[in-house]
């Protein structure tokens, strides 16, 4: 798959992961600082969260409220991944 860009990511616990994203879905990049490139993807998606409605007098569930939120993927590249991303996407 030539349109996938693989990059490394560390979580808060220090675990190391290799992730990827589709280069064709990139709509913008923003250089946050010297070692942080924010990549915004064209993958707007919706998530629905259901929360129970509780009657405060009887403490019983009387229904469900659905909250819809819209999200867009934001990927932070650091270090060598920034250089590899710029080399892979630069126009000749």
């Amino acid at each position: 798959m030539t349109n996938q860009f693989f990059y490394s990511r560390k979580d808060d616990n220090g675990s190391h992961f290799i992730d990827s994203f589709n280069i064709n879905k990139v709509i913008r990049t923003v250089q946050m600082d010297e070692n942080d490139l924010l990549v915004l993807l064209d993958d707007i998606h919706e998530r629905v969260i259901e929360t129970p409605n509780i009657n405060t007098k009887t403490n019983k569930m009387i229904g469900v409220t659905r909250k819809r939120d819209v999200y867009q993927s934001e990927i932070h590249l650091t270090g060598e991944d920034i250089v590899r991303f710029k080399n892979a996407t630069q126009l000749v």
Side-chain angles (χ1 to χ4, degrees), residues 27-62:
I27 56 173
R28 183 176 180 190
T29 59
V30 179
Q31 188 81 42
M32 303 302 284
D33 63 35
E34 184 178 310
N35 196 36
D36 186 11
L37 181 68
L38 175 65
V39 179
L40 301 173
L41 300 183
D42 183 20
D43 67 341
I44 295 176
H45 50 283
E46 190 176 87
R47 291 184 192 157
V48 178
I49 299 172
E50 294 183 349
T51 55
N53 289 337
I54 307 288
N55 183 328
T56 55
K57 293 181 182 176
T58 63
N59 205 26
K60 292 186 179 182
M61 189 169 95
I62 57 174

